[in-house]
Amino acid sequence: MAFTFFFRDLQILELMLKYAVPDFTGRSSVKVWDAGCTMGQEPYTLAILFAEQMGRFAFRNVEIFATDIEESSNFGEIVRSGIYPGEELQRVPDELREKYFRPVNGSGSLQVIDSLRSKIRYARHDLLSLTPIGSQFSVVLCKNVLLHFNYEARIEVIKMFHRSLIPGGYFATEQTQKMPKEIEHLFEKVAAHEQIFRKVEVPC
């Protein structure tokens, strides 16, 4: 299980939303796949950023599908409950922490508010199955996972992400993972210094 925390890699997340939100704000359904969500900090960070940028009414149409291969029995429970020790939220700006989290019975832990938790759909999923969890995704985010796969597997997983995206959908990964040359034609790079791409339709 990869280590992560709230508001990690904020620059790439904010930049991805800068491109994606204007394209999809008017859609009746905005599906996001966070592949490799660990204990839920990243999908909840995404939910906060979407809510802040889209506004309350447009945000109602957002669903975030959070997946990971982790088999721990309490892993899904943590993501679904949205309860985290207070010290894990130190990177969250004060105004956002007060807006989107509530204290849990004087325990020192905080819980994500219901309106955000209702947007997260957690499921265990093995990316190497090469079977997507769904289709018609507006955004696919996969960070700190692809580096664990060999080159050929990375190509196949990214091709799977391409199939799962809507036309013009966005794919983002960590800075260290360059797009393999064999599949560069599947995406248009939209950010010069970040690994953020828009899906390109290719002939069958």
Side-chain angles (χ1 to χ4, degrees), residues 145-157:
V145 178
L146 295 176
L147 75 166
H148 297 294
F149 301 155
N150 63 39
Y151 188 77
E152 291 75 17
R154 286 200 296 275
I155 290 174
E156 295 305 315
V157 170

Side-chain angles (χ1 to χ4, degrees), residues 13 22 25-26 29 43 66 69 87 103 129 135 148 160 165 181 185:
L13 298 181
T25 295
S29 174
I69 197 172
E87 57 267 21
S129 71
S135 61
H148 297 294
M160 174 186 66
L165 284 164
K181 292 183 178 180
H185 64 287

Side-chain angles (χ1 to χ4, degrees), residues 1-5 8 36-39 41 68 70 75 143-145 147-148:
M1 181 176 68
F3 171 77
T4 192
F5 45 83
R8 181 181 183 181
C37 69
T38 66
M39 298 180 73
Q41 296 95 333
D68 202 282
E70 175 62 46
F75 195 82
K143 292 172 38 269
N144 308 304
V145 178
L147 75 166
H148 297 294

Side-chain angles (χ1 to χ4, degrees), residues 147-185:
L147 75 166
H148 297 294
F149 301 155
N150 63 39
Y151 188 77
E152 291 75 17
R154 286 200 296 275
I155 290 174
E156 295 305 315
V157 170
I158 294 172
K159 286 165 65 176
M160 174 186 66
F161 290 149
H162 182 270
R163 294 194 303 272
S164 71
L165 284 164
I166 64 171
Y170 289 85
F171 167 63
T173 188
E174 67 265 29
Q175 183 60 27
T176 59
Q177 295 303 308
K178 310 300 182 184
M179 182 65 66
K181 292 183 178 180
E182 293 88 342
I183 51 175
E184 284 181 340
H185 64 287

Side-chain angles (χ1 to χ4, degrees), residues 22-161:
D23 284 358
F24 304 135
T25 295
R27 293 180 64 90
S28 60
S29 174
V30 179
K31 294 171 59 179
V32 179
W33 181 5
D34 185 0
C37 69
T38 66
M39 298 180 73
Q41 296 95 333
E42 186 170 81
Y44 282 124
T45 296
L46 276 174
I48 291 171
L49 295 176
F50 269 108
E52 287 292 298
Q53 292 198 29
M54 296 183 75
R56 181 163 58 95
F57 291 104
F59 182 63
R60 292 184 302 181
N61 299 324
V62 173
E63 288 183 286
I64 299 176
F65 293 77
T67 66
D68 202 282
I69 197 172
E70 175 62 46
E71 297 184 10
S72 171
S73 60
N74 67 343
F75 195 82
E77 295 174 11
I78 293 172
V79 179
R80 295 185 187 99
S81 72
I83 297 175
Y84 300 92
E87 57 267 21
E88 290 194 19
L89 303 175
Q90 293 178 359
R91 293 173 181 265
V92 180
D94 292 344
E95 66 274 16
L96 297 182
R97 188 167 60 248
E98 293 175 4
K99 185 175 181 179
Y100 293 109
F101 295 85
R102 298 290 179 266
V104 179
N105 299 326
S107 64
S109 294
L110 297 172
Q111 184 174 34
V112 181
I113 63 173
D114 291 347
S115 60
L116 286 193
R117 294 205 329 270
S118 67
K119 297 298 181 182
I120 306 299
R121 309 279 187 267
Y122 172 79
R124 184 180 179 276
H125 180 260
D126 182 2
L127 292 175
L128 293 179
S129 71
L130 303 181
T131 302
I133 59 165
S135 61
Q136 298 296 300
F137 286 100
S138 299
V139 174
V140 172
L141 177 68
C142 183
K143 292 172 38 269
N144 308 304
V145 178
L146 295 176
L147 75 166
H148 297 294
F149 301 155
N150 63 39
Y151 188 77
E152 291 75 17
R154 286 200 296 275
I155 290 174
E156 295 305 315
V157 170
I158 294 172
K159 286 165 65 176
M160 174 186 66
F161 290 149

